[in-house]
Amino acid sequence: MTPPDLPPRPVPRAPITDVVPKRTLVIIAVVIVLAVLGVVLALTLGDGDGDNGSKGSKSNSGAKAGSSASASAGADDTKKDNGGTGSTGGAKTDSTATAPAAGNTASSGTNASGGTGDEADGSSGGAAVVKTYKGSQGFSIGLPAGWSYQSTDSAGVRFTGPDGQKLLVAWTSTPKGDPVADWKNQEQYMTRSGYTRIRIEKVDYRSWNTADWEFTYEDGGTKYRTIDRGFVVNSHLGYALMYTAKDANWGSELRKDTWTTLTKTFEPKS
């Protein structure tokens, strides 16, 4: 009997090992340790992958741009306001469009030659070629006086000429068989300011299946006019030559001779 001046004694509890077998306790402990390790590893590896992914996206941005670039020979550029080219088939642009400029060469003193295409504007002359650009993708083109290489990006190779003229050469490894239908399909996505279609039609250009998309648009208060010539060289190679000049100069002999030279001297990848 507990003395009256002392509190009641607590009822003694059985040790946990008397209630739960030791082997079960060991298993529970192992499971807890594995769970903790799993969380630590997940957090550690997750942070590492995030860093690597971020660095990879920066270092491989050119390759990703090339592989994800939309359009048949750069059709997206036709539709936007920042210059560009046309389409020769709905497939993605050949990844070699992102090749560095260092792989390109230009030689001087080449005469305008090559090609037998009939030009839509009726010019039969041509401006003198002062240098020939040879791209790493495999094509070449003669450049008249005042023209120079500008840049290469996922859309293709860009050139600039006097008084706002510009050209973009683009290509695709999966061209469509009907350039006219392709242009009409692309037209519905046009976003250029003040866009007005002049024509979309099949044209004679050497022996290639070819269509021209000609239109005007406005940029910075200036009206420009563009011919986007898409053509299929073979079942696995199509090109587009998108030539732009100020609309006010479109009827000039210099403009006509320039377009003639660009189309006559262009040579596809062999």
Side-chain angles (χ1 to χ4, degrees):
M1 178 177 178
T2 304
D5 56 341
L6 296 177
R9 294 178 181 178
V11 178
R13 296 183 179 179
I16 190 169
T17 52
D18 290 347
V19 179
V20 181
K22 289 183 178 180
R23 188 173 70 175
T24 302
L25 290 175
V26 170
I27 294 173
I28 294 174
V30 170
V31 170
I32 293 173
V33 170
L34 291 176
V36 172
L37 287 175
V39 171
V40 172
L41 288 173
L43 292 174
T44 303
L45 294 177
D47 290 340
D49 288 342
D51 291 340
N52 291 338
S54 138
K55 292 176 183 177
S57 64
K58 292 179 181 178
S59 62
N60 295 324
S61 59
K64 289 185 178 180
S67 62
S68 63
S70 146
S72 25
D76 275 359
D77 259 33
T78 302
K79 296 171 283 183
K80 296 176 183 176
D81 287 331
N82 59 351
T85 189
S87 163
T88 57
K92 295 182 179 181
T93 306
D94 191 327
S95 61
T96 55
T98 57
N104 306 314
T105 61
S107 58
S108 60
T110 305
N111 293 324
S113 62
T116 57
D118 296 328
E119 307 314 318
D121 53 24
S123 177
S124 59
V129 172
V130 297
K131 58 185 174 181
T132 296
Y133 175 91
K134 297 180 180 178
S136 59
Q137 187 270 346
F139 74 88
S140 65
I141 191 168
L143 301 178
W147 280 80
S148 61
Y149 165 85
Q150 181 185 34
S151 63
T152 300
D153 56 33
S154 60
V157 181
R158 301 178 187 274
F159 303 89
T160 56
D163 199 21
Q165 295 178 90
K166 53 189 175 181
L167 174 75
L168 191 146
V169 180
W171 55 91
T172 176
S173 58
T174 52
K176 287 185 176 178
D178 187 349
V180 171
D182 187 34
W183 281 145
K184 290 180 178 179
N185 178 61
Q186 296 295 336
E187 186 182 29
Q188 64 182 312
Y189 305 108
M190 172 61 71
T191 60
R192 288 176 180 268
S193 176
Y195 166 79
T196 302
R197 186 218 281 194
I198 296 175
R199 63 189 174 94
I200 294 179
E201 63 184 11
K202 183 177 178 63
V203 297
D204 293 329
Y205 183 46
R206 309 187 193 182
S207 59
W208 300 322
N209 185 11
T210 305
D212 281 357
W213 180 4
E214 187 173 353
F215 56 89
T216 59
Y217 68 97
E218 295 180 1
D219 184 14
T222 301
K223 186 176 182 180
Y224 290 91
R225 188 159 169 174
T226 292
I227 291 180
D228 207 345
R229 173 162 293 183
F231 48 98
V232 180
V233 174
N234 53 47
S235 62
H236 56 274
L237 185 59
Y239 285 92
L241 304 178
M242 183 179 183
Y243 170 73
T244 298
K246 291 179 180 178
D247 184 65
N249 300 334
W250 197 257
S252 69
E253 291 303 315
L254 175 61
R255 201 285 309 167
K256 294 179 181 179
D257 288 346
T258 298
W259 174 237
T260 297
T261 295
L262 294 174
T263 53
K264 279 189 173 183
T265 60
F266 176 82
E267 292 295 339
K269 178 180 179 181
S270 57

